[in-house]
Amino acid sequence: MTVGIVGAGQLGRMLALAGYPLGLDFLCLDPAGDAPAGQVAPLLNGAFTDRRLLGELARRCEVVTFDWENVPVASLRTMQRGAHGARIAPPAAALGCAQDRVSEKRLFEKLAIPTTRWRAVGSRAELAAALAAVGLPGVMKTRRLGYDGKGQAVVRTRAAAERAFARLGSAPLIYEEWVPFDCEVSVIGARGARGEVAVYPLCGNVHGAGILRVTCAPYGPARWQALAARYLERVLTHFRYRGVLTIEFFVRGGRLIANEMAPRVHNSGHWTIEGAVTSQFENHLRAILGLPLGSTRPLGHSAMVNLIGRIPPRARLLALEGVHLHDYGKRPRPGRKVGHCTIVEPTAARRDARARRLAARLAAGVRIP
Ligand code: AMP
């Protein structure tokens, strides 16, 4: 059985690595000839809009998924409609919604999931109206194509808002309130062919310069877990979803405030490879193939530290007991996620102490509370 993956980044690579033991084959599509998943699975090398390659992917695969949230929705629809009528999972509608921060916010509001106050900003008049409605401070973000804190500006004054509009305003924007959060969490879960849902323990996330640095899981009180799972299930049901979905939240005063969602496996779920009975990657494959979902039970207390820019000397990392290294096979570049490592400990206290030491070594400048 062959699974097609549009996008061959590190998420596609980890999907393939999780699928081989199940006897699955993979075929990826990516414009980069040296893409991480292309190093472990066959790669169709070309644009995401290349009709010939999309046709080949649809013809050769039982199901087609994606590992990047900015894959053109039109490409998925082309494969769905073509002669081979490819099965796409997760649904293209969920991807389309997540690609536009405004439609994402509208969805959260429609499903009664608390989110930040926001206004769409497409002109100077709308900027003035947004500042009046939302107030200061706030964050100006591009509606589309933003990731890892790119395409955003924190705004503390009217003048800063004008400058942010001048810098980013060639694209449609969204202005949202700044949330002085206590912490950030994410919830990850899978929905299978018969509507069954499996939710992972909540992840506590620390970002630096907009990029995820460290995740600890399980994290937070049972009440947060229950709230997050309830919100996640609303989105899963709304789309009659198949596969893994992630929602990121700010936590403030015990309230979960949705920031954004990702219709895919997620960086904050990498700990599940060693830290849960079934990894998020395997559960995504099980869900999209109509196989039974696996247990999301944690095997201990996990921490994941992202390796940004370059992989530190391998021997130094591997000399640390219980450190699991994942090198994505990417060329080093400042600010680029090139790998991660995970530890799984028997208690939260031991996990936190080790995570602090690891973060001090690996995640430059990030402090774990
Ligand atoms: P995003 O691309 O929306 O996930 O933003 C990246 C990171 O920037 C978030 O994980 C937060 O750490 C921070 N951030 C984004 N939006 C806000 C906000 N409205 N209030 C406070 N922090 C924010």
Side-chain angles (χ1 to χ4, degrees):
M1 209 181 284
T2 303
V3 175
I5 309 178
V6 186
Q10 64 265 23
L11 301 179
R13 179 181 173 113
M14 287 184 270
L15 277 173
L17 294 176
Y20 289 134
L22 306 183
L24 303 175
D25 292 314
F26 292 86
L27 181 62
C28 305
L29 168 65
D30 200 285
D34 63 350
Q39 297 165 23
V40 303
L43 175 72
L44 301 174
N45 187 203
F48 290 134
T49 48
D50 186 318
R51 286 184 161 261
R52 188 181 60 77
L53 295 181
L54 290 170
E56 186 173 345
L57 200 63
R59 183 168 49 76
R60 290 174 54 186
C61 299
E62 266 72 25
V63 60
V64 177
T65 190
F66 42 86
D67 91 331
W68 188 50
E69 63 270 33
N70 291 314
V71 163
V73 172
S75 297
L76 301 184
R77 300 255 189 239
T78 300
M79 283 187 282
Q80 241 164 356
R81 276 196 306 264
H84 302 284
R87 202 157 61 71
I88 308 288
L95 180 68
C97 177
Q99 284 178 350
D100 178 3
R101 290 184 189 272
V102 165
S103 56
E104 201 173 56
K105 292 269 190 251
R106 287 198 181 117
L107 177 77
F108 290 147
E109 288 176 348
K110 181 174 163 180
L111 299 178
I113 299 171
T115 188
T116 54
R117 279 181 296 131
W118 63 277
R119 285 289 185 279
V121 173
S123 64
R124 281 192 185 278
E126 283 182 351
L127 173 65
L131 286 171
V134 176
L136 288 163
V139 189
M140 194 76 81
K141 300 179 178 179
T142 53
R143 280 173 63 166
R144 294 178 170 275
L145 295 171
Y147 69 99
D148 285 350
K150 292 184 177 59
Q152 352 191 318
V154 177
V155 163
R156 298 191 188 282
T157 61
R158 263 172 194 285
E162 293 282 346
R163 283 196 299 277
F165 182 76
R167 182 164 72 80
L168 303 169
S170 55
L173 303 178
I174 183 171
Y175 179 68
E176 60 181 47
E177 68 178 308
W178 170 258
V179 180
F181 53 77
D182 305 323
C183 62
E184 293 185 84
V185 298
S186 56
V187 67
I188 300 172
R191 185 175 185 271
R194 284 158 294 281
E196 70 280 24
V197 170
V199 182
Y200 286 96
L202 206 59
C203 312
N205 303 322
V206 180
H207 292 82
I211 306 178
L212 180 66
R213 304 290 166 146
V214 178
T215 294
C216 291
Y219 186 84
R223 204 181 67 79
W224 296 2
Q225 174 80 37
L227 263 182
R230 200 179 317 148
Y231 297 152
L232 185 82
E233 284 198 37
R234 282 183 203 162
V235 179
L236 290 171
T237 308
H238 173 81
F239 286 113
R240 294 160 166 247
Y241 200 88
R242 285 277 289 273
V244 163
L245 174 79
T246 307
I247 307 181
E248 295 180 69
F249 300 92
F250 305 123
V251 183
R252 176 152 171 76
R255 277 183 81 224
L256 265 58
I257 303 164
N259 175 31
E260 60 180 2
M261 67 178 196
R264 54 165 171 75
V265 286
H266 195 258
N267 192 171
S268 63
H270 292 356
W271 64 271
T272 61
I273 297 174
E274 292 88 9
V277 173
T278 317
S279 77
Q280 62 164 347
F281 301 100
E282 183 174 329
N283 256 340
H284 183 71
L285 295 169
R286 288 176 179 230
I288 65 175
L289 289 165
L291 298 167
L293 298 183
S295 165
T296 52
R297 185 166 56 78
L299 295 172
H301 297 261
S302 299
M304 187 263 348
V305 180
N306 266 341
L307 304 173
I308 313 267
R310 62 176 183 84
I311 300 284
R314 224 171 285 263
R316 283 233 311 268
L317 269 182
L318 296 178
L320 305 170
E321 193 196 320
V323 168
H324 301 276
L325 173 64
H326 296 259
D327 179 338
Y328 306 151
K330 285 173 155 182
R331 271 198 229 122
R333 194 172 69 209
R336 192 178 207 200
K337 290 174 184 168
V338 293
H340 74 266
C341 39
T342 301
I343 50 166
V344 185
E345 296 292 332
T347 64
R350 268 185 66 166
R351 184 262 321 270
D352 291 348
R354 281 203 83 188
R356 265 185 223 111
R357 284 202 300 276
L358 260 181
R361 269 184 200 212
L362 302 175
V366 174
R367 290 212 8 241
I368 315 266

